[in-house]
Amino acid sequence: MNPDMLLSHWWRLPPSMTPRWPPPLRWNRTTALRVALAGGLVLYAVLSTCSLRIPLLERVQALQVLRVATLNSPTTYYEGVAGPTGFEYDLTRNFAHDLGVEIEILVADGPSEVLNLVRSGRAHLGAGLGITPDREKQVRFTPPLRSTELQLVYRAGRPKPKSFDELEGTLVVQTGSAEAEALKALARTHPQLHWSETEQFGAEQLLFRVANEEADYTIASSDVVAINRRYQPQLRVAFALTDPQNIAWAFAPGDDSLLDTAIHFVDRLDPGQLAAVHDRHFGYLTQVGP
């Protein structure tokens, strides 16, 4: 019988010969487990896809935690007598309070790790970073919260250099720092400029090494230099490398929901309130001598 005839007489076939599609599902324990597993995988895929679409701001509020990556430094965050404190800690805690969440500090070994924590999503923002051309290619910044300048530092008793041409010894800076980036930019017009970079020591540790004649020169931001000169009075500033550098909060590119909220927070900061926070942490630095 040809197919057309078969179809035309389909209705006459006995039930045992009637084709059925799909075949009947035989419900047993194995089938139930397979259906449950398939359903779970579908639900997981749907929820995972949806979570990627949830704005970062809403995810932070759902977690009830704002994760902040920063350095353990007198200019950013440290454990004081009364508990956690620091310029960046105070401001980011106020920002977290505005969001209705708690703050969690992720202490990084250096600026490069702060950037990595932010870009990987392990931290929601990076605090206390100088805005540099290279970093602006990697993250997005809020408006600046303060500014500093980079200074060449040497030890008292050595000749004071007036330029890089007069350096007599080794200049050492931290790998991945704003100081290293500034030197790379200066090297384009100062081909005789040489320095070394280290991952072992941070800016404050390098200042300590200069003060103890374990290094000849280093470069650090003016606020870090001023703080450390209170404890290492033999440190001296030779000259500033650059114009004042802006310090701000950094966010990973892509989802701008938390960044936009942070920009709004910074823009509406009361100038008097910001000045009070700044004076609480840096006001005493004006007492440091030449």
Side-chain angles (χ1 to χ4, degrees), residues 71-100:
L71 304 176
N72 185 358
S73 164
T75 64
T76 53
Y77 157 81
Y78 62 98
E79 287 289 336
V81 176
T85 187
F87 180 82
E88 298 294 345
Y89 176 80
D90 284 359
L91 287 181
T92 52
R93 184 184 57 179
N94 290 345
F95 179 48
H97 182 266
D98 266 21
L99 298 178

Side-chain angles (χ1 to χ4, degrees), residues 8 94 98 146 171 174 177 181 183 189 192 247 259:
S8 66
N94 290 345
D98 266 21
R146 60 189 181 91
L171 169 60
Q174 185 179 16
S177 63
E181 188 176 335
L183 287 172
T189 54
Q192 81 287 353
I247 310 295
L259 169 64

Side-chain angles (χ1 to χ4, degrees), residues 44-66:
Y44 174 79
V46 170
L47 291 177
S48 298
T49 302
C50 291
S51 66
L52 292 175
R53 297 176 182 173
I54 298 175
L56 178 57
L57 173 61
E58 294 183 20
R59 276 182 275 157
V60 169
Q61 292 173 325
L63 287 170
Q64 287 291 292
V65 172
L66 177 71

Side-chain angles (χ1 to χ4, degrees), residues 16-18 20 27 37 55 64 74 109 127 129 133 155 165 192 204 213 216 222 235 240 252 256 261:
S16 62
M17 297 180 62
T18 303
R20 288 181 289 178
W27 197 264
L37 178 60
Q64 287 291 292
D109 289 334
L129 285 178
R155 190 185 190 281
D165 296 332
Q192 81 287 353
E204 289 190 283
E213 300 185 274
D216 297 312
S222 54
L235 292 175
D256 289 342
T261 306

Side-chain angles (χ1 to χ4, degrees), residues 46 48 51 65 99 110 113 132 134 139-140 147 187 221 225-226 236 249-250 278 281:
V46 170
S48 298
S51 66
V65 172
L99 298 178
E113 188 179 359
T132 68
D134 182 63
V139 293
R140 300 191 63 188
S147 64
S221 62
V225 173
R236 295 288 184 271
W249 294 346
H278 187 276
H281 295 286

